[in-house]
Amino acid sequence: MSIKQLFKSNKKQFILIFLMVIIGMASDSLSQYLMTPAYNHLRNMNLLGFILFMCLALGCDGVRIILISRSDYLYGKDVQNYLHQIRARISRYFFKNDINQTAKVQNNMVANLDQLTTKYLTPIKNGFMYFLAVVFSIGILFSFNWILVVVTVILTIISLLLPKAFEKLTSTATVIVTKKNEKFLNILDKWVKGLDELRRYASFDIFTSSINNGAKEYKKAAIHQGATIAIADMATALVNIGGQMLLLGLCAYLYLQGRIAFGAVITTGQFSSTIMNGVAAFVAQWNLVKSAKGLNEEVRELEQPVEIAQDQHDDQKVAKIEIRDLALQFKNGENISYPDLTFNKGEKILVTGDSGSGKSTLFKLILNKLTPSKGTIHFIDQDGKEIHLNPDEFVYLAQDSTLFPDTLENNITMFNTKLNSQVQQVTKKVDFDKDINKFPDGLATQVDLDKNNLSGGQKQKLVLARALVHNSPWLFIDEGTSAIDSESTKHILQNLLATDDSVIMIAHNFSNELVSMFDRVVKLDNGGALINEL
């Protein structure tokens, strides 16, 4: 995130906004300057002159209010459009890097951008306004007496140097807040998913205590962040008060020496207040911008251009998958090893084994969702040459069905309208057509992820239809029919295994009739031993 990118997002409007701010702040300074002749006329008992200059001053105030208010609206609009562009770039990063942690995505898409809006984009505009107020006021003071300007500049420099002492402290505090917020969101995500089970056993205390413990760290970090910014602001405020007192004293001395007019005495007090308060406000805004430095660097990394790989259909070139000396050691010390395996194109293979024998883990290793501790997985073409492909091209039906808040049809086609004509055909092959007919809106039925309007079996049928409609030559299915009745499972397998696709399926408790449909069975045990049943 940078002001330069914001400028590029809408150059003409950005220039217009800052022209409005410049004219608005110039009108504000002119309004204060007009008070000098107004008070001089009042001192000379010239009521008409006093009223005239007061009306001119009020007119300038009206111009300032209109221009600044309009610039705030346009700037806010520009900021939201810019944030929309940033979210688009960040979403590409998450998509490319296979990041599916809800809390991490939420934190970067919402919380972090909100932080940067309040601590970077908004302070930049506000800081520019305060800067202009100080510059214009100093210029007017110069017309009164150059000594006032010299003292003001010295005080201004001191105030501007103060943020350096707090820059690192406030930046670190901001980054810590965002990290603690992400951690807290993670805790919320994990416990909220189990609310139904907690309610079932009336485990309210553990829920509240876990949430409160997670919130404590975030609260502590937020308090620390507020304290560091408050300390920086307090130091600036002390310089501000001292500077105003010094300027007022100097102004009184110059008046007594006959070097400035009576009206200038009063307006100098106003201008000195504007300058010192403006410097204090500018420094406070600058502190906010600097506090966002670390967080901004993190967001910039997520914004880097990302090349989204297109589906090259390299999975169609794979003639066999060779697994050699494969093993995975988990952080808890558990180790799963696998015998050498070969999956040939077109084979229908059933993978079985006891819980913990590594069936699902084997799929995740093949699909590059996990990195093996040792061993290799090779994708070989029909000429015996190794293919370096993106494993994401393989169709993988996990135990937990992934659905989207859209129509049944779009969930099946994955938003590829070219496949709509094939939907009815594939839904019949997986026995999903009967379920669809029960819905009043048919394929146009919206999947409601909150109300969960599909049963477990219906979800499995949907993702099976999704796999078939995309006609992938390799299918990895993990317990893909566990929630479907035996009769429908038999019908689905008959259609699924009758294709030329390579089907590697994990299942347990299949009847002998269902097992016999496969070309062979690969059975794993906890020690990694293999039984190959032809």
Side-chain angles (χ1 to χ4, degrees), residues 37 40 42 65 104 179 184 192 227 242 286 321 383 387 440 463 522:
N40 284 333
L42 185 63
I65 291 170
K104 187 176 184 67
K179 295 297 182 185
F184 181 46
V192 168
W286 189 247
I321 300 173
D383 297 323
I387 304 171
V463 295
V522 172

Side-chain angles (χ1 to χ4, degrees), residues 120-135:
Y120 182 77
L121 293 177
T122 300
I124 283 178
K125 180 178 183 293
N126 291 340
F128 182 65
M129 290 171 56
Y130 296 130
F131 172 77
L132 290 176
V134 170
V135 170

Side-chain angles (χ1 to χ4, degrees), residues 61-117:
D61 280 336
V63 171
R64 173 187 60 83
I65 291 170
I66 293 171
L67 290 177
I68 297 302
S69 298
R70 182 62 180 173
S71 71
D72 285 341
Y73 167 75
L74 293 176
Y75 189 72
K77 186 178 178 180
D78 264 7
V79 165
Q80 289 305 315
N81 289 332
Y82 178 47
L83 292 177
H84 180 70
Q85 296 171 18
I86 292 176
R87 290 190 183 98
R89 290 193 286 270
I90 292 177
S91 66
R92 291 177 68 86
Y93 174 87
F94 286 138
F95 186 87
K96 170 71 174 179
N97 292 278
D98 194 24
I99 296 173
N100 50 20
Q101 298 171 337
T102 303
K104 187 176 184 67
V105 174
Q106 285 179 333
N107 201 44
N108 282 284
M109 288 284 207
V110 182
N112 286 358
L113 294 185
D114 285 346
Q115 284 264 346
L116 287 176
T117 300

Side-chain angles (χ1 to χ4, degrees), residues 348-382:
K348 312 299 187 289
I349 301 170
L350 179 64
V351 179
T352 66
D354 296 333
S355 178
S357 59
K359 303 183 297 298
S360 298
T361 301
L362 175 61
F363 276 16
K364 291 177 182 178
L365 288 167
I366 294 173
L367 300 169
N368 201 33
K369 303 296 182 184
L370 293 174
T371 303
S373 304
K374 69 170 186 174
T376 58
I377 300 171
H378 302 283
F379 305 106
I380 311 297
D381 67 13
Q382 60 182 2

Side-chain angles (χ1 to χ4, degrees), residues 110-372:
V110 182
N112 286 358
L113 294 185
D114 285 346
Q115 284 264 346
L116 287 176
T117 300
T118 56
K119 290 184 171 62
Y120 182 77
L121 293 177
T122 300
I124 283 178
K125 180 178 183 293
N126 291 340
F128 182 65
M129 290 171 56
Y130 296 130
F131 172 77
L132 290 176
V134 170
V135 170
F136 289 144
S137 297
I138 289 176
I140 293 173
L141 280 183
F142 188 80
S143 68
F144 292 161
N145 191 285
W146 65 270
I147 296 177
L148 294 173
V149 176
V150 172
V151 174
T152 301
V153 169
I154 292 172
L155 292 171
T156 301
I157 292 173
I158 293 173
S159 297
L160 291 175
L161 290 176
L162 280 177
K164 281 291 181 183
F166 301 97
E167 180 180 325
K168 185 176 181 181
L169 191 65
T170 55
S171 178
T172 301
T174 299
V175 172
I176 291 174
V177 166
T178 62
K179 295 297 182 185
K180 296 299 182 183
N181 181 58
E182 183 177 322
K183 184 177 179 180
F184 181 46
L185 288 173
N186 258 318
I187 293 172
L188 281 175
D189 183 53
K190 291 172 182 176
W191 281 93
V192 168
K193 285 179 179 177
L195 269 178
D196 286 341
E197 197 71 7
L198 291 170
R199 292 191 194 99
R200 188 170 294 114
Y201 295 98
S203 301
F204 176 72
D205 290 341
I206 185 63
F207 174 73
T208 54
S209 63
S210 299
I211 297 301
N212 289 336
N213 288 336
K216 282 179 183 177
E217 290 188 32
Y218 174 71
K219 181 179 73 173
K220 185 178 178 181
I223 291 173
H224 176 66
Q225 180 195 35
T228 55
I229 294 174
I231 291 171
D233 290 346
M234 182 180 69
T236 304
L238 290 174
V239 174
N240 173 23
I241 294 171
Q244 286 190 57
M245 293 178 64
L246 179 61
L247 281 172
L248 286 173
L250 178 60
C251 187
Y253 170 77
L254 291 173
Y255 173 69
L256 293 174
Q257 293 292 316
R259 299 172 67 176
I260 59 175
F262 173 76
V265 174
I266 300 175
T267 51
T268 297
Q270 293 175 334
F271 280 119
S272 65
S273 176
T274 298
I275 291 169
M276 298 311 301
N277 287 330
V279 170
F282 174 81
V283 170
Q285 298 302 306
W286 189 247
N287 279 335
L288 288 175
V289 171
K290 288 297 184 181
S291 74
K293 181 180 179 181
L295 178 59
N296 203 1
E297 288 175 354
E298 289 186 15
V299 172
R300 282 177 185 171
E301 288 184 12
L302 300 180
E303 285 189 80
Q304 295 303 310
V306 172
E307 187 68 31
I308 304 297
Q310 299 297 316
D311 188 350
Q312 303 296 322
H313 303 294
D314 286 337
D315 55 338
Q316 296 179 2
K317 302 175 184 177
V318 177
K320 62 180 177 179
I321 300 173
E322 292 183 349
I323 298 168
R324 300 290 179 262
D325 197 27
L326 193 65
L328 175 66
Q329 184 165 2
F330 294 93
K331 291 182 179 180
N332 61 6
E334 180 185 359
N335 184 74
I336 296 179
S337 58
Y338 297 92
D340 291 348
L341 294 168
T342 298
F343 299 142
N344 296 304
K345 184 176 182 179
E347 279 192 304
K348 312 299 187 289
I349 301 170
L350 179 64
V351 179
T352 66
D354 296 333
S355 178
S357 59
K359 303 183 297 298
S360 298
T361 301
L362 175 61
F363 276 16
K364 291 177 182 178
L365 288 167
I366 294 173
L367 300 169
N368 201 33
K369 303 296 182 184
L370 293 174
T371 303

